[in-house]
């Protein structure tokens, strides 16, 4: 309840444009009630109230570890990705067998070349006649309108970039993305598409940035 009051004060000041006196007066009145409940509950901590606090601390630590680990992993992957412009330039100097159909590569970096695509070319020496690079992102808003979900970019050489954006209250839908893409420039080629996804198996770094123990926790949760 105290945290909610602090958040209300911030919203009143930064979003609603209330003055310091108005927002402070409302927050002070609510804090009087909140502090009464808080002080009454503090006496329960030594008598067993510590247990839910410990459980909450563990859950919070796991959530923060997961978020931080995903950020570090994404930075490492983006740093190692080949820019798509460089990859398309290399296609002009290399001859590859062309396979019929559409290949869809899922990637978290909307600017780089998916590692699964590079491995497919390295091991099979083949490129599909149509290649779709699909990235799904989440914005810090509850909902994204239907018209703003998908952006389609023609990269040339039969390559397309699809960047789908959803709100954090929405569930991403690949069939919906394909329905929107068919209405765009890609026609009905998705019906027989093949999907490629890079498997990730992170291991703790010898000198991790957020602690050896938390690095190990993240690897376990990721698996």
């Amino acid at each position: 309840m105290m945290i909610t009051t602090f958040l209300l004060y911030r919203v009143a000041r930064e979003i609603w444009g209330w003055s310091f006196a108005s927002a402070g007066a409302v927050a002070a009145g609510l804090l009087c009630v909140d502090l009464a409940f808080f002080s009454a509950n503090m006496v329960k901590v030594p008598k067993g109230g510590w247990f839910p606090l410990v459980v909450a601390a563990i859950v919070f630590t796991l959530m923060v570890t997961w978020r931080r680990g995903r950020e570090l992993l994404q930075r490492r992957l983006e740093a190692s990705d080949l820019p798509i412009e460089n990859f398309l330039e290399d296609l002009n100097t290399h001859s590859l067998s062309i396979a019929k159909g559409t290949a869809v590569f899922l990637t978290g970096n909307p600017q780089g070349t998916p590692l699964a695509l590079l491995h497919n070319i390295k091991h099979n020496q083949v490129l599909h006649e149509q290649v779709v690079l699909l990235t799904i992102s989440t914005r810090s808003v509850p909902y994204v309108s239907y018209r703003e979900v998908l952006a389609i970019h023609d990269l040339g050489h039969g390559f397309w970039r699809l960047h789908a954006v959803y709100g954090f209250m929405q569930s991403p839908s690949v069939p919906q993305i394909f329905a929107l893409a068919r209405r765009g420039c890609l026609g009905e080629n998705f019906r027989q598409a093949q999907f490629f996804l890079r498997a990730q198996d992170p291991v703790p770094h010898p000198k991790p940035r957020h602690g050896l123990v938390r690095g190990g926790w993240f690897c376990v949760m990721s698996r």
Side-chain angles (χ1 to χ4, degrees), residues 48-102:
W50 58 268
F51 180 76
L53 296 178
V54 171
V55 173
I58 294 175
V59 174
F60 175 78
T61 302
L62 292 176
M63 293 175 65
V64 173
T65 299
W66 175 258
R67 178 184 177 89
R68 180 59 176 166
R70 289 297 302 176
E71 291 177 352
L72 294 177
L73 180 61
Q74 186 63 26
R75 292 178 187 175
R76 180 64 60 86
L77 293 175
E78 291 179 356
S80 62
D81 281 347
L82 175 69
I84 188 63
E85 294 80 7
N86 297 352
F87 174 78
L88 295 177
E89 291 179 1
D90 291 340
L91 290 181
N92 296 325
T93 59
H94 293 79
S95 59
L96 297 172
S97 300
I98 302 299
K100 293 184 178 181
T102 299

Short mmCIF file of all heavy atoms in Angstrom, two decimals, residues 48-102:
data_model
loop_
_atom_site.label_atom_id
_atom_site.label_comp_id
_atom_site.label_asym_id
_atom_site.label_seq_id
_atom_site.Cartn_x
_atom_site.Cartn_y
_atom_site.Cartn_z
N GLY A 48 6.98 -15.28 12.57
CA GLY A 48 6.64 -16.07 11.39
C GLY A 48 6.42 -15.23 10.15
O GLY A 48 6.38 -15.76 9.04
N GLY A 49 6.30 -13.91 10.32
CA GLY A 49 6.12 -13.06 9.15
C GLY A 49 7.35 -12.99 8.26
O GLY A 49 7.26 -12.56 7.10
N TRP A 50 8.49 -13.44 8.79
CA TRP A 50 9.72 -13.43 8.00
C TRP A 50 9.66 -14.41 6.84
O TRP A 50 10.33 -14.22 5.82
CB TRP A 50 10.92 -13.77 8.89
CG TRP A 50 10.79 -15.11 9.57
CD1 TRP A 50 10.26 -15.34 10.80
CD2 TRP A 50 11.17 -16.38 9.03
NE1 TRP A 50 10.27 -16.68 11.09
CE2 TRP A 50 10.84 -17.34 10.01
CE3 TRP A 50 11.76 -16.80 7.85
CZ2 TRP A 50 11.07 -18.71 9.81
CZ3 TRP A 50 11.99 -18.15 7.66
CH2 TRP A 50 11.65 -19.10 8.63
N PHE A 51 8.84 -15.48 6.98
CA PHE A 51 8.83 -16.52 5.95
C PHE A 51 8.32 -16.01 4.61
O PHE A 51 8.99 -16.19 3.58
CB PHE A 51 8.00 -17.71 6.43
CG PHE A 51 7.95 -18.83 5.42
CD1 PHE A 51 9.03 -19.68 5.24
CD2 PHE A 51 6.82 -19.04 4.65
CE1 PHE A 51 8.99 -20.71 4.31
CE2 PHE A 51 6.77 -20.05 3.72
CZ PHE A 51 7.86 -20.89 3.55
N PRO A 52 7.15 -15.36 4.53
CA PRO A 52 6.72 -14.83 3.22
C PRO A 52 7.67 -13.77 2.68
O PRO A 52 7.79 -13.61 1.46
CB PRO A 52 5.32 -14.26 3.49
CG PRO A 52 5.26 -14.05 4.95
CD PRO A 52 6.12 -15.13 5.56
N LEU A 53 8.35 -13.04 3.58
CA LEU A 53 9.33 -12.06 3.11
C LEU A 53 10.52 -12.75 2.44
O LEU A 53 11.03 -12.28 1.42
CB LEU A 53 9.81 -11.19 4.27
CG LEU A 53 8.75 -10.30 4.94
CD1 LEU A 53 9.35 -9.52 6.10
CD2 LEU A 53 8.14 -9.33 3.92
N VAL A 54 10.96 -13.87 3.02
CA VAL A 54 12.07 -14.62 2.42
C VAL A 54 11.65 -15.20 1.08
O VAL A 54 12.40 -15.15 0.10
CB VAL A 54 12.53 -15.73 3.38
CG1 VAL A 54 13.53 -16.67 2.69
CG2 VAL A 54 13.17 -15.14 4.62
N VAL A 55 10.44 -15.76 1.01
CA VAL A 55 9.94 -16.31 -0.25
C VAL A 55 9.86 -15.21 -1.31
O VAL A 55 10.27 -15.40 -2.47
CB VAL A 55 8.57 -16.97 -0.05
CG1 VAL A 55 7.97 -17.40 -1.39
CG2 VAL A 55 8.69 -18.18 0.87
N ALA A 56 9.35 -14.04 -0.91
CA ALA A 56 9.24 -12.93 -1.86
C ALA A 56 10.62 -12.48 -2.32
O ALA A 56 10.82 -12.15 -3.50
CB ALA A 56 8.49 -11.77 -1.22
N ALA A 57 11.60 -12.45 -1.42
CA ALA A 57 12.95 -12.04 -1.78
C ALA A 57 13.57 -13.02 -2.78
O ALA A 57 14.25 -12.61 -3.72
CB ALA A 57 13.82 -11.94 -0.53
N ILE A 58 13.31 -14.32 -2.58
CA ILE A 58 13.84 -15.32 -3.52
C ILE A 58 13.21 -15.16 -4.90
O ILE A 58 13.91 -15.15 -5.92
CB ILE A 58 13.59 -16.75 -2.97
CG1 ILE A 58 14.42 -16.97 -1.69
CG2 ILE A 58 13.95 -17.80 -4.02
CD1 ILE A 58 14.13 -18.29 -1.02
N VAL A 59 11.90 -15.00 -4.94
CA VAL A 59 11.21 -14.83 -6.22
C VAL A 59 11.68 -13.55 -6.91
O VAL A 59 11.93 -13.54 -8.12
CB VAL A 59 9.68 -14.80 -6.01
CG1 VAL A 59 8.96 -14.47 -7.32
CG2 VAL A 59 9.20 -16.14 -5.47
N PHE A 60 11.82 -12.47 -6.14
CA PHE A 60 12.29 -11.20 -6.71
C PHE A 60 13.70 -11.35 -7.27
O PHE A 60 14.00 -10.85 -8.37
CB PHE A 60 12.25 -10.12 -5.63
CG PHE A 60 12.81 -8.80 -6.09
CD1 PHE A 60 12.07 -7.95 -6.89
CD2 PHE A 60 14.09 -8.42 -5.72
CE1 PHE A 60 12.59 -6.74 -7.31
CE2 PHE A 60 14.62 -7.21 -6.14
CZ PHE A 60 13.86 -6.36 -6.94
N THR A 61 14.57 -12.03 -6.54
CA THR A 61 15.94 -12.22 -7.01
C THR A 61 15.97 -13.03 -8.30
O THR A 61 16.73 -12.71 -9.22
CB THR A 61 16.77 -12.94 -5.93
OG1 THR A 61 16.76 -12.16 -4.73
CG2 THR A 61 18.21 -13.13 -6.39
N LEU A 62 15.14 -14.07 -8.39
CA LEU A 62 15.08 -14.87 -9.62
C LEU A 62 14.58 -14.04 -10.79
O LEU A 62 15.10 -14.14 -11.90
CB LEU A 62 14.19 -16.09 -9.41
CG LEU A 62 14.70 -17.16 -8.44
CD1 LEU A 62 13.67 -18.26 -8.26
CD2 LEU A 62 16.02 -17.74 -8.92
N MET A 63 13.57 -13.21 -10.55
CA MET A 63 13.02 -12.38 -11.63
C MET A 63 14.05 -11.36 -12.11
O MET A 63 14.22 -11.17 -13.32
CB MET A 63 11.75 -11.67 -11.15
CG MET A 63 10.59 -12.61 -10.87
SD MET A 63 9.17 -11.75 -10.16
CE MET A 63 8.71 -10.69 -11.52
N VAL A 64 14.76 -10.72 -11.18
CA VAL A 64 15.78 -9.74 -11.56
C VAL A 64 16.94 -10.43 -12.27
O VAL A 64 17.49 -9.91 -13.24
CB VAL A 64 16.27 -8.98 -10.31
CG1 VAL A 64 17.45 -8.09 -10.66
CG2 VAL A 64 15.14 -8.14 -9.73
N THR A 65 17.30 -11.63 -11.79
CA THR A 65 18.38 -12.38 -12.44
C THR A 65 18.00 -12.74 -13.86
O THR A 65 18.82 -12.63 -14.79
CB THR A 65 18.67 -13.66 -11.64
OG1 THR A 65 19.10 -13.30 -10.32
CG2 THR A 65 19.76 -14.48 -12.31
N TRP A 66 16.76 -13.17 -14.07
CA TRP A 66 16.32 -13.53 -15.42
C TRP A 66 16.33 -12.31 -16.34
O TRP A 66 16.81 -12.38 -17.47
CB TRP A 66 14.91 -14.12 -15.37
CG TRP A 66 14.34 -14.41 -16.71
CD1 TRP A 66 13.41 -13.69 -17.39
CD2 TRP A 66 14.68 -15.52 -17.56
NE1 TRP A 66 13.14 -14.26 -18.61
CE2 TRP A 66 13.91 -15.39 -18.74
CE3 TRP A 66 15.55 -16.60 -17.43
CZ2 TRP A 66 13.99 -16.30 -19.78
CZ3 TRP A 66 15.63 -17.51 -18.48
CH2 TRP A 66 14.86 -17.35 -19.62
N ARG A 67 15.82 -11.19 -15.84
CA ARG A 67 15.78 -9.97 -16.67
C ARG A 67 17.19 -9.51 -17.03
O ARG A 67 17.48 -9.21 -18.20
CB ARG A 67 15.03 -8.88 -15.93
CG ARG A 67 14.95 -7.55 -16.68
CD ARG A 67 14.28 -6.48 -15.84
NE ARG A 67 14.27 -5.20 -16.53
CZ ARG A 67 13.31 -4.78 -17.35
NH1 ARG A 67 12.28 -5.59 -17.59
NH2 ARG A 67 13.36 -3.62 -17.92
N ARG A 68 18.07 -9.47 -16.04
CA ARG A 68 19.43 -9.01 -16.29
C ARG A 68 20.18 -9.99 -17.19
O ARG A 68 20.92 -9.58 -18.09
CB ARG A 68 20.17 -8.86 -14.95
CG ARG A 68 21.62 -8.38 -15.09
CD ARG A 68 21.70 -7.04 -15.80
NE ARG A 68 23.07 -6.56 -15.83
CZ ARG A 68 23.48 -5.56 -16.60
NH1 ARG A 68 22.62 -4.93 -17.39
NH2 ARG A 68 24.74 -5.17 -16.59
N GLY A 69 19.99 -11.27 -16.96
CA GLY A 69 20.64 -12.28 -17.80
C GLY A 69 20.19 -12.20 -19.24
O GLY A 69 21.01 -12.34 -20.17
N ARG A 70 18.90 -11.97 -19.47
CA ARG A 70 18.39 -11.85 -20.84
C ARG A 70 18.98 -10.61 -21.52
O ARG A 70 19.29 -10.65 -22.71
CB ARG A 70 16.87 -11.77 -20.84
CG ARG A 70 16.17 -13.07 -20.47
CD ARG A 70 16.42 -14.17 -21.45
NE ARG A 70 16.00 -13.80 -22.81
CZ ARG A 70 16.19 -14.57 -23.88
NH1 ARG A 70 16.81 -15.74 -23.75
NH2 ARG A 70 15.78 -14.19 -25.06
N GLU A 71 19.13 -9.53 -20.78
CA GLU A 71 19.72 -8.32 -21.35
C GLU A 71 21.17 -8.56 -21.77
O GLU A 71 21.58 -8.19 -22.88
CB GLU A 71 19.66 -7.18 -20.34
CG GLU A 71 18.25 -6.67 -20.07
CD GLU A 71 18.22 -5.59 -19.01
OE1 GLU A 71 19.29 -5.35 -18.38
OE2 GLU A 71 17.15 -4.99 -18.78
N LEU A 72 21.96 -9.20 -20.89
CA LEU A 72 23.36 -9.47 -21.22
C LEU A 72 23.48 -10.45 -22.38
O LEU A 72 24.34 -10.28 -23.26
CB LEU A 72 24.08 -10.02 -19.98
CG LEU A 72 24.23 -9.07 -18.80
CD1 LEU A 72 24.90 -9.77 -17.63
CD2 LEU A 72 25.03 -7.83 -19.19
N LEU A 73 22.62 -11.48 -22.38
CA LEU A 73 22.66 -12.45 -23.47
C LEU A 73 22.30 -11.80 -24.80
O LEU A 73 22.94 -12.07 -25.83
CB LEU A 73 21.70 -13.60 -23.16
CG LEU A 73 21.63 -14.72 -24.21
CD1 LEU A 73 22.99 -15.38 -24.38
CD2 LEU A 73 20.58 -15.76 -23.82
N GLN A 74 21.28 -10.93 -24.79
CA GLN A 74 20.88 -10.27 -26.02
C GLN A 74 21.97 -9.35 -26.54
O GLN A 74 22.23 -9.28 -27.75
CB GLN A 74 19.59 -9.46 -25.79
CG GLN A 74 19.00 -8.85 -27.04
CD GLN A 74 18.55 -9.89 -28.06
OE1 GLN A 74 18.23 -11.02 -27.68
NE2 GLN A 74 18.53 -9.53 -29.32
N ARG A 75 22.67 -8.65 -25.64
CA ARG A 75 23.77 -7.80 -26.07
C ARG A 75 24.89 -8.63 -26.69
O ARG A 75 25.47 -8.23 -27.71
CB ARG A 75 24.32 -7.02 -24.87
CG ARG A 75 23.37 -5.97 -24.32
CD ARG A 75 23.97 -5.29 -23.11
NE ARG A 75 23.02 -4.38 -22.45
CZ ARG A 75 23.27 -3.75 -21.32
NH1 ARG A 75 24.46 -3.92 -20.73
NH2 ARG A 75 22.36 -2.96 -20.78
N ARG A 76 25.20 -9.78 -26.08
CA ARG A 76 26.26 -10.63 -26.62
C ARG A 76 25.87 -11.17 -27.99
O ARG A 76 26.70 -11.22 -28.91
CB ARG A 76 26.53 -11.77 -25.64
CG ARG A 76 27.63 -12.73 -26.09
CD ARG A 76 28.95 -12.02 -26.18
NE ARG A 76 29.36 -11.47 -24.90
CZ ARG A 76 30.02 -12.17 -23.96
NH1 ARG A 76 30.35 -13.43 -24.20
NH2 ARG A 76 30.36 -11.61 -22.83
N LEU A 77 24.62 -11.56 -28.15
CA LEU A 77 24.17 -12.09 -29.44
C LEU A 77 24.18 -11.00 -30.52
O LEU A 77 24.58 -11.25 -31.65
CB LEU A 77 22.77 -12.69 -29.30
CG LEU A 77 22.66 -13.95 -28.43
CD1 LEU A 77 21.21 -14.37 -28.29
CD2 LEU A 77 23.50 -15.09 -28.99
N GLU A 78 23.72 -9.80 -30.15
CA GLU A 78 23.70 -8.71 -31.12
C GLU A 78 25.12 -8.31 -31.53
O GLU A 78 25.35 -7.94 -32.68
CB GLU A 78 22.95 -7.51 -30.54
CG GLU A 78 21.45 -7.74 -30.38
CD GLU A 78 20.74 -6.55 -29.79
OE1 GLU A 78 21.44 -5.56 -29.44
OE2 GLU A 78 19.50 -6.58 -29.68
N ALA A 79 26.06 -8.38 -30.58
CA ALA A 79 27.44 -8.02 -30.90
C ALA A 79 28.09 -9.00 -31.86
O ALA A 79 28.98 -8.65 -32.63
CB ALA A 79 28.26 -7.92 -29.62
N SER A 80 27.63 -10.26 -31.82
CA SER A 80 28.21 -11.29 -32.68
C SER A 80 27.47 -11.47 -34.00
O SER A 80 27.94 -12.18 -34.88
CB SER A 80 28.24 -12.64 -31.94
OG SER A 80 26.93 -13.07 -31.62
N ASP A 81 26.31 -10.82 -34.14
CA ASP A 81 25.53 -10.95 -35.37
C ASP A 81 26.18 -10.19 -36.52
O ASP A 81 26.71 -9.09 -36.33
CB ASP A 81 24.10 -10.45 -35.16
CG ASP A 81 23.23 -11.47 -34.44
OD1 ASP A 81 23.67 -12.63 -34.33
OD2 ASP A 81 22.14 -11.11 -33.99
N LEU A 82 26.09 -10.77 -37.70
CA LEU A 82 26.57 -10.11 -38.92
C LEU A 82 25.49 -9.17 -39.43
O LEU A 82 24.33 -9.59 -39.59
CB LEU A 82 26.91 -11.17 -39.98
CG LEU A 82 27.31 -10.65 -41.37
CD1 LEU A 82 28.66 -9.97 -41.28
CD2 LEU A 82 27.33 -11.80 -42.38
N PRO A 83 25.81 -7.90 -39.69
CA PRO A 83 24.80 -6.98 -40.24
C PRO A 83 24.22 -7.55 -41.53
O PRO A 83 24.93 -8.09 -42.37
CB PRO A 83 25.58 -5.69 -40.48
CG PRO A 83 26.73 -5.76 -39.52
CD PRO A 83 27.09 -7.21 -39.44
N ILE A 84 22.91 -7.42 -41.68
CA ILE A 84 22.23 -8.00 -42.84
C ILE A 84 22.72 -7.37 -44.13
O ILE A 84 22.76 -8.03 -45.19
CB ILE A 84 20.69 -7.85 -42.70
CG1 ILE A 84 19.98 -8.63 -43.80
CG2 ILE A 84 20.30 -6.39 -42.68
CD1 ILE A 84 20.20 -10.12 -43.76
N GLU A 85 23.12 -6.09 -44.10
CA GLU A 85 23.63 -5.45 -45.31
C GLU A 85 24.90 -6.12 -45.80
O GLU A 85 25.07 -6.33 -47.01
CB GLU A 85 23.89 -3.95 -45.03
CG GLU A 85 22.64 -3.14 -44.73
CD GLU A 85 22.18 -3.28 -43.31
OE1 GLU A 85 22.93 -3.93 -42.51
OE2 GLU A 85 21.09 -2.79 -42.97
N ASN A 86 25.80 -6.48 -44.88
CA ASN A 86 27.03 -7.17 -45.28
C ASN A 86 26.74 -8.55 -45.85
O ASN A 86 27.39 -9.00 -46.79
CB ASN A 86 27.97 -7.28 -44.08
CG ASN A 86 28.42 -5.94 -43.56
OD1 ASN A 86 28.16 -4.91 -44.18
ND2 ASN A 86 29.09 -5.92 -42.43
N PHE A 87 25.76 -9.23 -45.25
CA PHE A 87 25.41 -10.55 -45.75
C PHE A 87 24.86 -10.49 -47.17
O PHE A 87 25.22 -11.30 -48.03
CB PHE A 87 24.39 -11.19 -44.81
CG PHE A 87 23.85 -12.50 -45.31
CD1 PHE A 87 24.60 -13.67 -45.19
CD2 PHE A 87 22.60 -12.57 -45.90
CE1 PHE A 87 24.10 -14.88 -45.65
CE2 PHE A 87 22.10 -13.77 -46.37
CZ PHE A 87 22.85 -14.93 -46.24
N LEU A 88 23.98 -9.52 -47.43
CA LEU A 88 23.39 -9.40 -48.76
C LEU A 88 24.45 -9.02 -49.79
O LEU A 88 24.37 -9.45 -50.95
CB LEU A 88 22.27 -8.36 -48.74
CG LEU A 88 21.05 -8.72 -47.88
CD1 LEU A 88 20.04 -7.58 -47.88
CD2 LEU A 88 20.40 -10.01 -48.38
N GLU A 89 25.44 -8.24 -49.39
CA GLU A 89 26.54 -7.91 -50.31
C GLU A 89 27.35 -9.16 -50.65
O GLU A 89 27.80 -9.31 -51.80
CB GLU A 89 27.43 -6.84 -49.69
CG GLU A 89 26.77 -5.47 -49.58
CD GLU A 89 27.69 -4.45 -48.94
OE1 GLU A 89 28.84 -4.83 -48.61
OE2 GLU A 89 27.27 -3.29 -48.77
N ASP A 90 27.55 -10.05 -49.69
CA ASP A 90 28.32 -11.28 -49.94
C ASP A 90 27.59 -12.21 -50.90
O ASP A 90 28.22 -13.03 -51.58
CB ASP A 90 28.59 -12.00 -48.63
CG ASP A 90 29.57 -11.24 -47.74
OD1 ASP A 90 30.29 -10.39 -48.28
OD2 ASP A 90 29.59 -11.50 -46.52
N LEU A 91 26.26 -12.11 -50.96
CA LEU A 91 25.51 -12.97 -51.88
C LEU A 91 25.86 -12.69 -53.33
O LEU A 91 25.74 -13.57 -54.19
CB LEU A 91 24.00 -12.79 -51.67
CG LEU A 91 23.42 -13.33 -50.36
CD1 LEU A 91 21.91 -13.08 -50.32
CD2 LEU A 91 23.69 -14.83 -50.21
N ASN A 92 26.30 -11.47 -53.62
CA ASN A 92 26.65 -11.12 -54.99
C ASN A 92 27.93 -11.82 -55.46
O ASN A 92 28.16 -11.95 -56.67
CB ASN A 92 26.82 -9.61 -55.13
CG ASN A 92 25.52 -8.86 -54.85
OD1 ASN A 92 24.44 -9.35 -55.18
ND2 ASN A 92 25.64 -7.69 -54.24
N THR A 93 28.75 -12.25 -54.51
CA THR A 93 30.03 -12.87 -54.87
C THR A 93 30.05 -14.38 -54.64
O THR A 93 31.07 -15.02 -54.90
CB THR A 93 31.17 -12.22 -54.07
OG1 THR A 93 30.92 -12.39 -52.66
CG2 THR A 93 31.27 -10.74 -54.38
N HIS A 94 28.96 -14.94 -54.14
CA HIS A 94 28.91 -16.38 -53.88
C HIS A 94 27.69 -16.97 -54.59
O HIS A 94 26.60 -16.39 -54.55
CB HIS A 94 28.81 -16.67 -52.38
CG HIS A 94 30.03 -16.28 -51.61
ND1 HIS A 94 30.31 -14.97 -51.25
CD2 HIS A 94 31.06 -17.03 -51.13
CE1 HIS A 94 31.45 -14.93 -50.58
NE2 HIS A 94 31.93 -16.16 -50.49
N SER A 95 27.90 -18.09 -55.22
CA SER A 95 26.81 -18.78 -55.90
C SER A 95 26.30 -19.91 -55.01
O SER A 95 27.07 -20.77 -54.56
CB SER A 95 27.29 -19.36 -57.24
OG SER A 95 28.36 -20.26 -57.03
N LEU A 96 25.00 -19.90 -54.74
CA LEU A 96 24.38 -20.92 -53.91
C LEU A 96 23.23 -21.55 -54.65
O LEU A 96 22.60 -20.92 -55.51
CB LEU A 96 23.87 -20.29 -52.60
CG LEU A 96 24.92 -19.67 -51.67
CD1 LEU A 96 24.23 -18.93 -50.52
CD2 LEU A 96 25.84 -20.75 -51.12
N SER A 97 22.95 -22.80 -54.31
CA SER A 97 21.78 -23.48 -54.87
C SER A 97 20.52 -22.86 -54.28
O SER A 97 20.48 -22.51 -53.10
CB SER A 97 21.84 -24.97 -54.55
OG SER A 97 23.00 -25.56 -55.10
N ILE A 98 19.51 -22.71 -55.11
CA ILE A 98 18.25 -22.10 -54.69
C ILE A 98 17.20 -23.19 -54.53
O ILE A 98 16.93 -23.95 -55.46
CB ILE A 98 17.77 -21.04 -55.70
CG1 ILE A 98 18.85 -19.96 -55.88
CG2 ILE A 98 16.47 -20.42 -55.22
CD1 ILE A 98 19.18 -19.21 -54.61
N ALA A 99 16.62 -23.26 -53.34
CA ALA A 99 15.56 -24.21 -53.05
C ALA A 99 14.21 -23.50 -53.15
O ALA A 99 14.07 -22.34 -52.76
CB ALA A 99 15.73 -24.82 -51.66
N LYS A 100 13.23 -24.21 -53.68
CA LYS A 100 11.89 -23.63 -53.81
C LYS A 100 11.25 -23.48 -52.43
O LYS A 100 11.50 -24.25 -51.52
CB LYS A 100 11.02 -24.50 -54.71
CG LYS A 100 11.47 -24.54 -56.17
CD LYS A 100 10.50 -25.35 -57.00
CE LYS A 100 10.93 -25.36 -58.47
NZ LYS A 100 9.99 -26.13 -59.32
N GLY A 101 10.39 -22.49 -52.32
CA GLY A 101 9.65 -22.30 -51.09
C GLY A 101 10.15 -21.12 -50.28
O GLY A 101 11.01 -20.36 -50.70
N THR A 102 9.58 -21.00 -49.08
CA THR A 102 9.88 -19.90 -48.18
C THR A 102 10.48 -20.42 -46.89
O THR A 102 9.99 -21.40 -46.32
CB THR A 102 8.60 -19.10 -47.85
OG1 THR A 102 8.06 -18.56 -49.06
CG2 THR A 102 8.89 -17.96 -46.89
#
